[in-house]
Amino acid sequence: MKKQDVHQPDAVTSQTSKPIVFEASLITVLLLASAVFVALLISEVPPKIAAIAVLIAVLQIFAGGSFLSMFVYKSHLTWKEFCGVGLALGSLLTFGFDQIFRNTDISGFAWTLPILFLPLSIWKSRLKIDITIAQNDLTTTDLLAISATVYLILSPEWFWPLPLALLAITIVVWREMPKWRKHSAVIAACLIPISVLSILKRPIGWWIEDSDVALYEAISRTLGHWGFRDNINGAGTSTNYHWFAYAWSGLIDRVSGSPDWVSNTRTIPLLITIGTVLIIWAILERLS
Protein backbone atom coordinates (compact mmCIF):
# COMPACT_ATOMS: atom_id res chain seq x y z
CA MET A 1 0.00 0.00 0.00
CA LYS A 2 1.36 3.37 -0.99
CA LYS A 3 0.72 6.15 1.47
CA GLN A 4 0.46 9.79 0.48
CA ASP A 5 0.65 12.80 2.80
CA VAL A 6 -0.64 11.59 6.17
CA HIS A 7 -1.08 15.06 7.62
CA GLN A 8 -4.01 16.01 5.41
CA PRO A 9 -7.30 14.25 4.64
CA ASP A 10 -5.71 12.56 1.66
CA ALA A 11 -6.28 9.12 0.30
CA VAL A 12 -4.20 6.02 0.67
CA THR A 13 -4.37 4.10 -2.58
CA SER A 14 -3.73 0.45 -3.11
CA GLN A 15 -2.55 -1.52 -6.06
CA THR A 16 -4.82 -4.35 -4.96
CA SER A 17 -8.58 -4.49 -4.79
CA LYS A 18 -8.63 -2.98 -1.31
CA PRO A 19 -10.81 0.13 -0.97
CA ILE A 20 -9.37 3.63 -0.76
CA VAL A 21 -8.85 4.78 2.81
CA PHE A 22 -9.10 8.50 3.48
CA GLU A 23 -6.87 9.80 6.26
CA ALA A 24 -8.53 12.77 7.97
CA SER A 25 -6.12 14.93 9.93
CA LEU A 26 -7.60 15.79 13.30
CA ILE A 27 -5.01 18.53 13.75
CA THR A 28 -6.00 20.25 10.50
CA VAL A 29 -9.67 20.20 11.46
CA LEU A 30 -8.82 21.60 14.89
CA LEU A 31 -6.72 24.37 13.32
CA LEU A 32 -9.66 25.30 11.11
CA ALA A 33 -11.98 25.16 14.13
CA SER A 34 -9.65 27.46 16.07
CA ALA A 35 -9.66 29.97 13.22
CA VAL A 36 -13.46 29.86 13.11
CA PHE A 37 -13.67 30.33 16.87
CA VAL A 38 -11.45 33.42 16.74
CA ALA A 39 -13.47 34.82 13.84
CA LEU A 40 -16.70 34.33 15.80
CA LEU A 41 -15.25 36.08 18.83
CA ILE A 42 -14.16 39.01 16.67
CA SER A 43 -17.69 39.06 15.25
CA GLU A 44 -19.10 39.70 18.75
CA VAL A 45 -20.42 36.20 19.28
CA PRO A 46 -20.32 35.37 23.03
CA PRO A 47 -17.48 32.92 23.84
CA LYS A 48 -19.78 30.16 25.09
CA ILE A 49 -22.01 30.41 22.02
CA ALA A 50 -18.97 30.54 19.73
CA ALA A 51 -17.46 27.44 21.36
CA ILE A 52 -20.69 25.45 21.02
CA ALA A 53 -21.19 26.61 17.43
CA VAL A 54 -17.66 25.51 16.54
CA LEU A 55 -18.20 22.16 18.26
CA ILE A 56 -21.38 21.64 16.25
CA ALA A 57 -19.52 22.58 13.06
CA VAL A 58 -16.71 20.11 13.84
CA LEU A 59 -19.24 17.34 14.43
CA GLN A 60 -20.90 18.26 11.15
CA ILE A 61 -17.57 18.18 9.32
CA PHE A 62 -16.77 14.70 10.59
CA ALA A 63 -20.31 13.47 9.97
CA GLY A 64 -20.38 14.84 6.43
CA GLY A 65 -16.76 13.94 5.71
CA SER A 66 -17.36 10.38 6.89
CA PHE A 67 -20.46 10.16 4.72
CA LEU A 68 -18.42 11.47 1.78
CA SER A 69 -15.63 8.97 2.33
CA MET A 70 -18.10 6.09 2.16
CA PHE A 71 -19.54 6.99 -1.22
CA VAL A 72 -16.82 8.88 -3.11
CA TYR A 73 -14.11 6.83 -4.77
CA LYS A 74 -11.20 9.10 -5.55
CA SER A 75 -7.48 8.57 -5.38
CA HIS A 76 -7.03 11.77 -3.43
CA LEU A 77 -9.11 13.86 -1.04
CA THR A 78 -7.73 17.17 0.21
CA TRP A 79 -8.50 18.63 3.60
CA LYS A 80 -10.45 21.43 1.91
CA GLU A 81 -12.74 18.87 0.31
CA PHE A 82 -13.10 16.92 3.53
CA CYS A 83 -13.91 20.04 5.58
CA GLY A 84 -15.84 22.04 2.98
CA VAL A 85 -18.00 19.27 1.57
CA GLY A 86 -18.11 17.68 5.01
CA LEU A 87 -19.56 20.86 6.51
CA ALA A 88 -22.13 21.12 3.71
CA LEU A 89 -23.23 17.49 3.92
CA GLY A 90 -22.92 17.35 7.70
CA SER A 91 -25.07 20.42 8.26
CA LEU A 92 -27.69 19.04 5.87
CA LEU A 93 -27.69 15.68 7.65
CA THR A 94 -27.78 17.09 11.18
CA PHE A 95 -30.55 19.62 10.73
CA GLY A 96 -32.37 17.15 8.48
CA PHE A 97 -32.46 14.57 11.26
CA ASP A 98 -33.33 17.34 13.71
CA GLN A 99 -36.34 18.40 11.66
CA ILE A 100 -37.56 14.88 10.94
CA PHE A 101 -37.51 13.88 14.61
CA ARG A 102 -38.35 17.31 16.07
CA ASN A 103 -41.61 16.17 17.66
CA THR A 104 -40.47 12.73 18.81
CA ASP A 105 -38.96 11.33 21.98
CA ILE A 106 -35.45 11.55 20.53
CA SER A 107 -35.76 15.18 19.47
CA GLY A 108 -33.14 16.27 21.98
CA PHE A 109 -30.31 14.32 20.37
CA ALA A 110 -31.60 13.33 16.93
CA TRP A 111 -29.34 15.89 15.27
CA THR A 112 -26.26 14.00 16.52
CA LEU A 113 -27.21 10.73 14.82
CA PRO A 114 -25.28 11.49 11.58
CA ILE A 115 -22.03 11.38 13.56
CA LEU A 116 -22.53 7.60 13.53
CA PHE A 117 -21.20 7.73 9.98
CA LEU A 118 -17.77 8.34 11.54
CA PRO A 119 -17.36 5.00 13.34
CA LEU A 120 -19.17 3.29 10.47
CA SER A 121 -16.72 4.63 7.88
CA ILE A 122 -13.78 3.67 10.11
CA TRP A 123 -15.22 0.19 10.63
CA LYS A 124 -15.67 -0.22 6.87
CA SER A 125 -12.04 0.86 6.36
CA ARG A 126 -13.06 3.96 4.41
CA LEU A 127 -11.68 6.53 6.85
CA LYS A 128 -8.76 6.80 9.23
CA ILE A 129 -8.30 9.62 11.72
CA ASP A 130 -4.72 10.86 11.79
CA ILE A 131 -3.79 12.35 15.18
CA THR A 132 -0.14 12.97 14.35
CA ILE A 133 1.07 16.38 15.49
CA ALA A 134 3.38 17.76 12.84
CA GLN A 135 4.11 21.19 11.48
CA ASN A 136 2.75 21.75 8.01
CA ASP A 137 3.62 25.15 6.58
CA LEU A 138 1.47 24.57 3.50
CA THR A 139 -1.64 24.02 5.62
CA THR A 140 -0.92 27.16 7.64
CA THR A 141 -0.50 29.21 4.47
CA ASP A 142 -3.69 27.76 3.02
CA LEU A 143 -5.59 28.65 6.19
CA LEU A 144 -4.31 32.22 6.04
CA ALA A 145 -5.25 32.55 2.37
CA ILE A 146 -8.69 31.04 2.99
CA SER A 147 -9.21 33.37 5.97
CA ALA A 148 -8.31 36.34 3.79
CA THR A 149 -10.82 35.22 1.16
CA VAL A 150 -13.56 34.76 3.76
CA TYR A 151 -12.98 38.24 5.18
CA LEU A 152 -12.94 39.75 1.69
CA ILE A 153 -16.30 38.16 0.89
CA LEU A 154 -17.80 39.41 4.15
CA SER A 155 -16.37 42.93 3.77
CA PRO A 156 -19.11 44.40 1.53
CA GLU A 157 -21.73 43.61 4.18
CA TRP A 158 -19.73 43.90 7.39
CA PHE A 159 -17.07 46.41 6.16
CA TRP A 160 -14.75 45.98 9.17
CA PRO A 161 -13.15 42.66 7.99
CA LEU A 162 -11.42 44.37 5.04
CA PRO A 163 -8.27 45.40 6.95
CA LEU A 164 -8.09 41.90 8.44
CA ALA A 165 -8.30 40.41 4.94
CA LEU A 166 -5.49 42.65 3.72
CA LEU A 167 -3.44 41.78 6.80
CA ALA A 168 -3.84 38.06 6.14
CA ILE A 169 -2.82 38.59 2.52
CA THR A 170 0.34 40.44 3.54
CA ILE A 171 1.24 37.61 5.92
CA VAL A 172 0.83 35.10 3.10
CA VAL A 173 3.06 37.25 0.89
CA TRP A 174 5.63 37.49 3.69
CA ARG A 175 5.66 33.70 4.07
CA GLU A 176 5.65 32.75 0.40
CA MET A 177 7.59 35.54 -1.34
CA PRO A 178 10.95 36.16 0.36
CA LYS A 179 11.89 39.07 -1.91
CA TRP A 180 8.76 40.94 -0.80
CA ARG A 181 9.19 40.29 2.91
CA LYS A 182 10.43 43.74 3.79
CA HIS A 183 7.58 45.47 1.98
CA SER A 184 4.93 43.10 3.31
CA ALA A 185 6.25 43.50 6.85
CA VAL A 186 5.89 47.28 6.62
CA ILE A 187 2.39 46.99 5.20
CA ALA A 188 1.41 44.47 7.89
CA ALA A 189 2.71 46.79 10.60
CA CYS A 190 0.43 49.51 9.25
CA LEU A 191 -2.56 47.21 8.89
CA ILE A 192 -2.43 45.85 12.45
CA PRO A 193 -3.56 49.09 14.17
CA ILE A 194 -6.02 49.76 11.35
CA SER A 195 -7.55 46.31 11.84
CA VAL A 196 -7.83 46.82 15.59
CA LEU A 197 -9.37 50.24 15.09
CA SER A 198 -11.90 48.94 12.56
CA ILE A 199 -13.05 46.35 15.10
CA LEU A 200 -13.19 48.68 18.09
CA LYS A 201 -14.99 51.47 16.23
CA ARG A 202 -17.77 49.35 14.78
CA PRO A 203 -21.18 50.92 15.35
CA ILE A 204 -23.72 49.15 17.52
CA GLY A 205 -25.82 46.85 15.37
CA TRP A 206 -23.29 46.69 12.53
CA TRP A 207 -24.62 43.20 11.78
CA ILE A 208 -28.11 44.42 10.84
CA GLU A 209 -28.15 44.01 7.06
CA ASP A 210 -31.81 44.73 6.26
CA SER A 211 -35.27 44.98 7.76
CA ASP A 212 -36.00 41.29 7.15
CA VAL A 213 -33.73 40.21 10.00
CA ALA A 214 -36.77 39.91 12.28
CA LEU A 215 -38.46 37.58 9.79
CA TYR A 216 -35.34 35.42 9.53
CA GLU A 217 -35.16 35.22 13.31
CA ALA A 218 -38.81 34.18 13.55
CA ILE A 219 -38.33 31.42 10.98
CA SER A 220 -35.18 30.25 12.74
CA ARG A 221 -36.88 30.07 16.13
CA THR A 222 -39.85 28.23 14.63
CA LEU A 223 -37.69 25.58 13.02
CA GLY A 224 -35.42 25.26 16.02
CA HIS A 225 -38.19 24.68 18.54
CA TRP A 226 -41.17 23.23 16.66
CA GLY A 227 -39.85 22.14 13.28
CA PHE A 228 -41.10 22.81 9.78
CA ARG A 229 -44.59 21.53 10.62
CA ASP A 230 -45.32 24.76 12.49
CA ASN A 231 -44.93 28.46 11.78
CA ILE A 232 -44.55 31.23 14.31
CA ASN A 233 -45.66 33.70 11.63
CA GLY A 234 -48.89 31.85 10.93
CA ALA A 235 -50.45 29.68 13.63
CA GLY A 236 -51.71 26.36 12.36
CA THR A 237 -49.65 26.44 9.18
CA SER A 238 -46.37 24.80 8.29
CA THR A 239 -43.13 26.43 7.19
CA ASN A 240 -43.14 25.38 3.55
CA TYR A 241 -40.21 27.27 2.11
CA HIS A 242 -37.01 29.15 2.82
CA TRP A 243 -36.03 26.97 5.73
CA PHE A 244 -32.76 25.11 5.06
CA ALA A 245 -30.39 27.80 6.37
CA TYR A 246 -32.78 28.77 9.14
CA ALA A 247 -33.12 25.17 10.30
CA TRP A 248 -29.34 25.22 10.69
CA SER A 249 -29.36 28.45 12.68
CA GLY A 250 -32.37 27.22 14.66
CA LEU A 251 -30.43 24.10 15.62
CA ILE A 252 -27.45 26.17 16.78
CA ASP A 253 -29.76 28.54 18.66
CA ARG A 254 -31.45 25.73 20.54
CA VAL A 255 -28.35 23.68 21.35
CA SER A 256 -26.20 26.64 22.36
CA GLY A 257 -28.87 28.76 24.01
CA SER A 258 -27.84 31.59 21.73
CA PRO A 259 -29.38 35.03 22.30
CA ASP A 260 -31.63 36.50 19.63
CA TRP A 261 -30.04 37.88 16.46
CA VAL A 262 -26.67 36.14 16.91
CA SER A 263 -26.83 33.00 14.76
CA ASN A 264 -28.57 34.48 11.73
CA THR A 265 -26.50 37.64 11.59
CA ARG A 266 -23.03 36.38 12.49
CA THR A 267 -22.59 32.65 13.12
CA ILE A 268 -24.34 31.21 10.08
CA PRO A 269 -23.04 33.81 7.56
CA LEU A 270 -19.51 33.08 8.72
CA LEU A 271 -19.91 29.29 8.59
CA ILE A 272 -21.57 29.41 5.17
CA THR A 273 -18.83 31.64 3.79
CA ILE A 274 -16.09 29.40 5.16
CA GLY A 275 -17.72 26.27 3.74
CA THR A 276 -18.24 27.93 0.36
CA VAL A 277 -14.65 29.15 0.17
CA LEU A 278 -13.31 25.71 1.09
CA ILE A 279 -15.36 24.04 -1.64
CA ILE A 280 -14.41 26.63 -4.28
CA TRP A 281 -10.77 26.38 -3.21
CA ALA A 282 -10.90 22.61 -3.57
CA ILE A 283 -12.47 22.88 -7.04
CA LEU A 284 -9.81 25.35 -8.18
CA GLU A 285 -7.10 23.01 -6.91
CA ARG A 286 -8.67 20.19 -8.90
CA LEU A 287 -8.70 22.31 -12.04
CA SER A 288 -5.17 23.66 -11.62
Side-chain angles (χ1 to χ4, degrees):
M1 181 175 289
K2 181 180 178 182
K3 186 177 289 186
Q4 296 181 3
D5 186 2
V6 298
H7 304 305
Q8 297 184 24
D10 296 337
V12 179
T13 58
S14 175
Q15 301 298 327
T16 67
S17 59
K18 293 182 179 180
I20 298 169
V21 181
F22 297 113
E23 290 201 356
S25 171
L26 180 62
I27 302 303
T28 301
V29 176
L30 292 180
L31 282 174
L32 177 63
S34 300
V36 175
F37 179 70
V38 172
L40 288 173
L41 291 181
I42 296 175
S43 303
E44 294 185 339
V45 176
K48 176 185 174 182
I49 308 304
I52 296 175
V54 169
L55 178 60
I56 294 173
V58 170
L59 291 177
Q60 290 172 335
I61 286 173
F62 277 109
S66 302
F67 184 84
L68 177 69
S69 69
M70 293 177 62
F71 297 99
V72 175
Y73 293 86
K74 290 184 178 180
S75 60
H76 184 74
L77 187 69
T78 68
W79 72 266
K80 294 97 168 174
E81 290 172 323
F82 185 86
C83 294
V85 179
L87 181 61
L89 290 177
S91 60
L92 181 63
L93 289 168
T94 51
F95 74 67
F97 273 73
D98 184 59
Q99 290 298 304
I100 292 171
F101 297 102
R102 186 85 293 273
N103 297 313
T104 67
D105 293 336
I106 64 171
S107 60
F109 62 88
W111 69 274
T112 64
L113 294 178
I115 198 62
L116 294 176
F117 284 115
L118 178 58
L120 180 61
S121 61
I122 295 175
W123 176 68
K124 292 177 68 68
S125 299
R126 297 291 295 140
L127 181 69
K128 179 181 178 182
I129 304 299
D130 176 26
I131 59 174
T132 304
I133 300 177
Q135 183 178 3
N136 192 323
D137 291 337
L138 181 59
T139 300
T140 303
T141 301
D142 285 346
L143 280 172
L144 284 169
I146 289 169
S147 298
T149 306
V150 169
Y151 285 132
L152 280 174
I153 292 174
L154 292 173
S155 293
E157 293 289 346
W158 290 0
F159 70 85
W160 59 264
L162 182 58
L164 288 174
L166 298 177
L167 177 60
I169 292 172
T170 57
I171 295 174
V172 172
V173 172
W174 183 86
R175 290 173 60 92
E176 298 298 314
M177 301 179 182
K179 68 177 182 179
W180 291 99
R181 281 190 172 178
K182 184 177 180 180
H183 300 83
S184 59
V186 172
I187 296 174
C190 296
L191 285 171
I192 290 174
I194 295 174
S195 300
V196 174
L197 190 63
S198 69
I199 294 172
L200 296 178
K201 293 299 182 179
R202 292 177 296 194
I204 297 175
W206 57 265
W207 37 265
I208 299 177
E209 297 178 3
D210 56 54
S211 58
D212 286 339
V213 171
L215 174 63
Y216 304 152
E217 192 70 17
I219 297 175
S220 177
R221 294 292 172 174
T222 292
L223 295 169
H225 289 279
W226 300 290
F228 66 90
R229 297 177 182 86
D230 209 335
N231 190 342
I232 199 173
N233 296 305
T237 63
S238 60
T239 304
N240 295 320
Y241 71 100
H242 209 48
W243 61 265
F244 267 40
Y246 301 112
W248 191 5
S249 61
L251 172 63
I252 294 177
D253 281 339
R254 191 183 74 249
V255 174
S256 66
S258 176
D260 294 336
W261 319 113
V262 173
S263 293
N264 281 319
T265 59
R266 281 154 281 178
T267 305
I268 292 299
L270 186 61
L271 291 177
I272 289 176
T273 306
I274 291 171
T276 302
V277 170
L278 286 171
I279 292 174
I280 294 175
W281 205 279
I283 293 173
L284 292 176
E285 283 187 340
R286 288 280 175 186
L287 296 176
S288 61

